[in-house]
Amino acid sequence: MTKGADVDLFARWPLPKCYPGTCVRLTTKIQDWFLHNSGPAGVGKSAFAIEEDILGAVYFFSRPNKRHKYVEVFITLAYQLAIRFPGYQPLVTAKLAAKPNLLEKMPHVQFKKLIIEPLLLLSHERKHVIIFNGLDECEGEGNQLEIIELINNLHSNTSLPIIWMICSRPESYLKQIFARTDHTIQCWREFLPIDSEESRVDTKTFICGWFEEIHKIYGEHVEEDANGYWPPETAIEQIVEKTSGHPFLTSYHHLPFWDLGVERC
């Protein structure tokens, strides 16, 4: 299996999560969809909180971290499912005992034999989610499209207790396959633009929150403005503008420290 592809693993430290007070609209929408089954299978952001009894498996693709090999994807998902669902484990173990060469088969064969067939034999009180995060990081456009095609071909298996969640950059070839009229796949799509008013508000919340923490620790070394603010509101707005509404692009080097009122040592 691929190490580091699951949630809560040290290989992915620090773990991605939403800063308090940000992404409220979208997290509420996705959590409601998961918890109350109020919509069709679709896309979202895997950093959102998902209850343990809902999560089936997840694959965090990452080319820089060597988590991008297509041949390891379904083996990794099978391993995670075996850990989370005791009933699934003996079923997949029996398949591997009977045909050990399943681990050497093509991915689409592994998908059918290690994922779909065992899950169809299990009784579930609720559906579980399998997440592909950063699908565009999977090696080869053709492999990315094949994953979507494999999921699309399952439309007749209504008893399959799985909701699929695909997170990716909006690559043109991925957008096109979801837009095809000959596909039976039904999904909820959510586009997350970076430089939007909502993302800028979230970015400002993120930046102000962290500056507040800095102020608590180094308060005696900062210079507040006439209104008692640090940094000045103008400095905050400049940082938000530089990030284009994306908090992970925030860099304190965009502004000199003395512009923020910090004493240099």
Side-chain angles (χ1 to χ4, degrees), residues 48-241:
F48 300 148
I50 300 175
E51 292 185 353
E52 284 297 322
D53 62 340
I54 292 179
L55 181 62
V58 58
Y59 198 103
F60 286 91
F61 290 98
S62 175
R63 291 180 185 174
N65 294 295
K66 310 301 182 184
R67 297 194 303 268
H68 66 296
K69 297 181 179 179
Y70 183 42
V71 295
E72 298 178 357
V73 171
F74 299 121
I75 297 174
T76 303
L77 297 183
Y79 175 81
Q80 294 181 26
L81 290 168
I83 291 176
R84 292 190 173 95
F85 303 114
Y88 170 89
Q89 186 171 351
L91 295 175
V92 75
T93 299
K95 281 183 172 290
L96 290 173
K99 295 182 178 180
N101 66 342
L102 274 176
L103 299 180
E104 301 173 3
K105 294 289 187 179
M106 297 291 290
H108 70 273
V109 177
Q110 296 174 350
F111 178 73
K112 179 181 178 181
K113 297 296 182 181
L114 299 181
I115 307 294
I116 304 306
E117 290 183 357
L119 287 176
L120 287 173
L121 296 176
L122 294 177
S123 59
H124 295 259
E125 294 182 357
R126 67 188 312 172
K127 288 183 178 291
H128 302 280
V129 61
I130 293 181
I131 301 172
F132 292 108
N133 187 70
L135 180 62
D136 57 290
E137 292 281 305
C138 178
E139 60 177 355
E141 294 181 11
N143 295 329
Q144 299 170 28
L145 296 175
E146 182 170 279
I147 289 177
I148 298 175
E149 288 283 4
L150 289 172
I151 296 173
N152 177 66
N153 293 336
L154 295 172
H155 67 276
S156 60
N157 290 325
T158 56
S159 59
L160 187 69
I162 293 296
I163 295 175
W164 305 90
M165 181 173 174
I166 300 174
C167 312
S168 173
R169 294 184 184 93
E171 302 292 355
S172 59
Y173 55 91
L174 293 176
K175 293 169 65 176
Q176 288 174 3
I177 193 172
F178 279 106
R180 282 171 51 180
T181 57
D182 60 331
H183 271 50
T184 54
I185 190 169
Q186 296 294 319
C187 65
W188 162 42
R189 281 177 283 185
E190 184 77 20
F191 178 63
L192 306 178
I194 293 178
D195 196 10
S196 66
E197 181 61 29
E198 185 177 21
S199 65
R200 285 174 175 265
V201 171
D202 284 347
T203 300
K204 185 174 182 179
T205 299
F206 171 81
I207 293 172
C208 290
W210 276 109
F211 273 127
E212 184 177 343
E213 293 299 317
I214 295 173
H215 192 280
K216 290 178 182 177
I217 299 174
Y218 303 104
E220 62 184 42
H221 300 291
V222 303
E223 181 179 345
E224 298 176 348
D225 62 15
N227 297 318
Y229 292 111
W230 179 86
E233 182 68 19
T234 54
I236 295 292
E237 294 298 336
Q238 287 183 57
I239 296 175
V240 173
E241 181 65 26

